[in-house]
Amino acid sequence: MDRLVIIPTYNEKENIENIINVVFNLPIEFHVLVIDDGSPDGTAEIVKRMQGQHAKRLFLVERSGKLGLGTAYICGFRWAIEHNYDYIFEMDADFSHNPQDLLKLYSACANEGADVAIGSRYITGVNVVNWPMGRVLMSYYASAYVRTVLGISIRDTTAGFVCYRRQVLETMELDKIHFKGYAFQIEMKFTALKCGFVVKEVPIIFINRVLGTSKMSGGIFSEALLGVIRLKISSWFRKYPQKK
């Protein structure tokens, strides 16, 4: 088996069972790894119950307390590498990312030459549903700001719906990825480019969550704005390992 979807969770009891079932019903097989940060609402218990039916496809890592989106994904990436998955996906639990689009991201990496495939909200305009206009503008112009500061062409720099070929994660020195919030997504894409990997954006439609509570905050957003300046400056003094 070569495809693993990593889903970080904190209080996602309304969504987690449904999202896993949809992924498991896709026409090609995906495995799922849930990284749960001590959800008090019982998210992990739902996953454990489902493991009774899906023991060979569904996996769970429980962590104590909210340790940050970035550290959850790094934990998942290390787990995926250790278990020899070739295509490793990031996806939210709340259906803002359509699980059907996993097929498009997989194809971009497996068949179309990409090393990293991004489910992009902005590659064909603004494809966001049910977000307040202020948040749409904030996200869109934040990506434009990131492109300008870092000198990259990616339209959706903070996207959290991504497929990585294993070689990317093995090459990019995960212990040097420092950001924990949405700046983590920027740092991962920038580092992949600096390591010489091919990054492709695949158009998706992003739909704001219907159930559960958003984890977005002003602090997370300000980390991204200030973080890109630090990221750019540190890149002047760092030698990045290169794609073989």
Side-chain angles (χ1 to χ4, degrees):
M1 180 56 216
D2 67 353
R3 294 173 292 272
L4 179 72
V5 181
I6 301 170
I7 304 178
T9 55
Y10 184 78
N11 287 349
E12 291 291 355
K13 70 176 183 181
E14 299 94 343
N15 296 301
I16 192 62
E17 184 167 5
N18 289 338
I19 197 89
I20 291 169
N21 283 331
V22 174
V23 171
F24 284 168
N25 285 323
L26 291 171
I28 61 175
E29 185 175 343
F30 290 84
H31 290 184
V32 171
L33 171 65
V34 175
I35 310 284
D36 186 70
D37 271 8
S39 298
D41 72 346
T43 299
E45 282 64 38
I46 295 170
V47 177
K48 288 175 189 171
R49 174 174 54 78
M50 295 184 72
Q51 284 181 306
Q53 283 181 283
H54 306 288
K56 295 183 178 177
R57 299 179 66 183
L58 178 58
F59 308 97
L60 172 67
V61 172
E62 293 184 86
R63 307 196 306 167
S64 54
K66 293 180 75 174
L67 302 174
L69 181 74
T71 67
Y73 276 127
I74 296 293
C75 172
F77 294 156
R78 295 191 191 284
W79 192 98
I81 291 167
E82 184 181 326
H83 291 81
N84 297 313
Y85 287 92
D86 292 323
Y87 300 93
I88 297 133
F89 300 77
E90 300 180 0
M91 190 173 74
D92 290 347
D94 61 7
F95 284 95
S96 55
H97 303 141
N98 183 346
Q100 297 289 335
D101 289 331
L102 288 167
L103 302 172
K104 294 198 292 188
L105 296 181
Y106 172 65
S107 182
C109 285
N111 305 318
E112 298 164 26
D115 298 308
V116 180
I118 300 168
S120 178
R121 297 163 291 187
Y122 305 130
I123 194 68
T124 56
V126 179
N127 293 317
V128 177
V129 177
N130 291 340
W131 256 10
M133 182 53 68
R135 188 167 173 189
V136 173
L137 292 172
M138 183 173 73
S139 174
Y140 182 83
Y141 285 109
S143 273
Y145 165 82
V146 171
R147 281 198 306 278
T148 303
V149 173
L150 295 183
I152 60 178
S153 60
I154 296 170
R155 303 289 303 178
D156 194 352
T157 54
T158 59
F161 195 19
V162 186
C163 174
Y164 295 94
R165 288 180 55 241
R166 182 173 69 192
Q167 185 195 1
V168 178
L169 301 177
E170 289 176 327
T171 301
M172 64 163 48
E173 300 175 323
L174 293 175
D175 57 338
K176 294 186 179 177
I177 302 294
H178 296 304
F179 291 114
K180 293 182 179 179
Y182 280 76
F184 163 81
Q185 301 292 2
I186 300 166
E187 187 175 11
M188 287 293 295
K189 297 171 183 67
F190 180 66
T191 304
L193 288 169
K194 296 295 277 187
C195 291
F197 289 103
V198 176
V199 178
K200 178 175 182 176
E201 291 186 85
V202 176
I204 64 158
I205 296 174
F206 180 96
I207 301 173
N208 194 31
R209 69 161 64 235
V210 174
L211 301 173
T213 306
S214 172
K215 315 305 186 292
M216 186 69 172
S217 71
I220 287 172
F221 192 73
S222 62
E223 181 203 47
L225 287 178
L226 297 172
V228 292
I229 298 173
R230 288 165 52 196
L231 192 57
K232 181 66 173 181
I233 293 170
S234 67
S235 73
W236 297 338
F237 305 98
R238 179 178 167 193
K239 186 172 186 204
Y240 291 85
Q242 292 302 297
K243 174 183 178 180
K244 293 186 176 66

